């Protein structure tokens, strides 16, 4: 079956760095997405990886290894506003999105 | 985690016809539902936000008369694509959240093809 795994919850300190991992097993692969979702709001797009390697975008970076079925989202210089859920989603061979359950990130002062 | 069921997963329709997509929360009361559209290899585009019992709030550029959203109960929201055209072909996905919930849960998505 198809499966996306990511930690349920993580805690980090303001100003620090945190890495949120995502492993996946899907029928085919057409890219991996990371989304941020604040409580009560719609998810917002963070990154898209389809090739192996690291994509950097400001304080956020996303890494992909297709051979390992693995991605991570790296958040640097954490701010209190980064407290949110982070969703990993993989697009399979049918261009259907397979979603992880999300990682709730708690930032402490 | 909570389950959101979206139906149908795939639909092909003729140009000019209407298509209804259902989004159901199976084990919680969904006070808010979000409808998204996604083009291949692109991010989700929020179309509208609907709260149970009230009119949906549409994002700028989304035609409310073309994409009819109904959220009549706490477990069901529907998106009707009226007078569909080939350019409406896309992947539509819903997500739902409950009262005071910190996260929304996504449906599986619906791939609409208009021929």
């Amino acid at each position: 079956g198809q499966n996306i795994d990511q930690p349920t919850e993580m805690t980090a300190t303001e100003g620090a760095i945190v890495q949120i991992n995502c492993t996946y097993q899907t029928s085919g692969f057409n890219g991996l997405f990371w989304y941020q979702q604040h409580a009560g709001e719609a998810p917002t797009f963070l990154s898209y990886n389809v090739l192996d390697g690291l994509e950097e975008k400001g304080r956020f970076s996303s890494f992909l290894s297709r051979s390992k079925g693995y991605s991570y989202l790296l958040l640097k210089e954490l701010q209190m506003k980064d407290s949110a859920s982070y969703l990993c989603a993989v697009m399979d061979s049918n261009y259907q999105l397979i979603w992880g359950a999300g990682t709730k990130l708690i930032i402490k002062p | 985690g909570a389950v959101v069921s979206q139906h149908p997963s795939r639909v092909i329709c003729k140009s000019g016809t209407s298509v209804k997509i259902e989004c159901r929360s199976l084990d919680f009361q969904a006070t808010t539902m979000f409808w998204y559209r996604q083009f291949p290899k692109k991010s989700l585009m929020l179309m509208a936000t609907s709260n149970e019992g009230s009119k949906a709030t549409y994002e700028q550029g989304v035609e409310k008369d073309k994409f009819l959203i109904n959220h009549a109960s706490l477990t069901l929201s529907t998106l009707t694509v009226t007078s569909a055209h080939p350019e409406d072909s896309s992947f539509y996905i819903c997500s739902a959240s409950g009262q005071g919930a910190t996260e929304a849960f996504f449906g599986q998505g619906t791939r609409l093809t208009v021929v």
Side-chain angles (χ1 to χ4, degrees), chain B residues 17-22 35 47 58 63-70 77-84 92 112:
Chain B
T17 62
S18 295
V19 174
K20 180 184 283 188
I21 302 170
E22 292 187 348
W35 285 96
M47 298 174 67
Y58 289 80
E63 299 175 61
K64 59 180 68 176
D65 293 331
K66 181 166 186 64
F67 298 99
L68 300 177
I69 291 172
N70 184 284
S77 176
T78 59
L79 167 66
T80 302
V81 183
T82 62
S83 187
Y92 295 87
L112 170 64

Side-chain angles (χ1 to χ4, degrees), chain B residues 3-115:
Chain B
V3 178
V4 173
S5 176
Q6 186 173 339
H7 177 81
S9 58
R10 291 176 181 270
V11 59
I12 301 172
C13 71
K14 291 185 177 180
S15 186
T17 62
S18 295
V19 174
K20 180 184 283 188
I21 302 170
E22 292 187 348
C23 183
R24 293 180 182 273
S25 58
L26 300 184
D27 55 359
F28 70 103
Q29 293 183 327
T31 52
T32 306
M33 284 193 175
F34 304 95
W35 285 96
Y36 297 88
R37 180 174 180 176
Q38 185 173 35
F39 296 97
K41 300 186 179 181
K42 299 292 183 183
S43 65
L44 293 172
M45 180 193 78
L46 180 64
M47 298 174 67
T49 302
S50 72
N51 292 297
E52 184 266 337
S54 60
K55 291 183 179 180
T57 302
Y58 289 80
E59 296 297 303
Q60 191 173 10
V62 178
E63 299 175 61
K64 59 180 68 176
D65 293 331
K66 181 166 186 64
F67 298 99
L68 300 177
I69 291 172
N70 184 284
H71 191 169
S73 79
L74 285 170
T75 59
L76 175 65
S77 176
T78 59
L79 167 66
T80 302
V81 183
T82 62
S83 187
H85 289 99
E87 56 264 32
D88 298 326
S89 297
S90 193
F91 185 71
Y92 295 87
I93 188 168
C94 71
S95 67
S97 64
Q99 182 75 31
T102 58
E103 60 188 291
F105 300 94
F106 289 87
Q108 304 94 322
T110 298
R111 180 154 301 283
L112 170 64
T113 303
V114 184
V115 298

Side-chain angles (χ1 to χ4, degrees), chain A residues 17-21 32 34 46-49 53-64 71-77 86:
Chain A
I17 299 173
V18 71
Q19 177 175 311
I20 303 174
N21 296 324
L32 185 145
W34 282 99
L46 289 178
S47 67
Y48 170 70
N49 294 65
L54 186 68
E55 295 274 347
E56 296 187 72
K57 195 182 294 184
R59 294 190 297 116
F60 293 4
S61 303
S62 56
F63 171 84
L64 175 67
S71 172
Y72 68 72
L73 180 69
L74 190 72
L75 293 77
K76 302 177 184 176
E77 301 169 17
Y86 291 85

Side-chain angles (χ1 to χ4, degrees), chain A residues 52-96:
Chain A
D52 290 351
L54 186 68
E55 295 274 347
E56 296 187 72
K57 195 182 294 184
R59 294 190 297 116
F60 293 4
S61 303
S62 56
F63 171 84
L64 175 67
S65 169
R66 289 171 295 172
S67 63
K68 295 181 180 179
Y70 168 69
S71 172
Y72 68 72
L73 180 69
L74 190 72
L75 293 77
K76 302 177 184 176
E77 301 169 17
L78 286 170
Q79 301 174 10
M80 297 303 293
K81 67 178 183 179
D82 297 331
S83 291
S85 286
Y86 291 85
L87 299 133
C88 171
V90 173
M91 186 164 276
D92 67 9
S93 56
N94 293 319
Y95 290 99
Q96 188 116 358

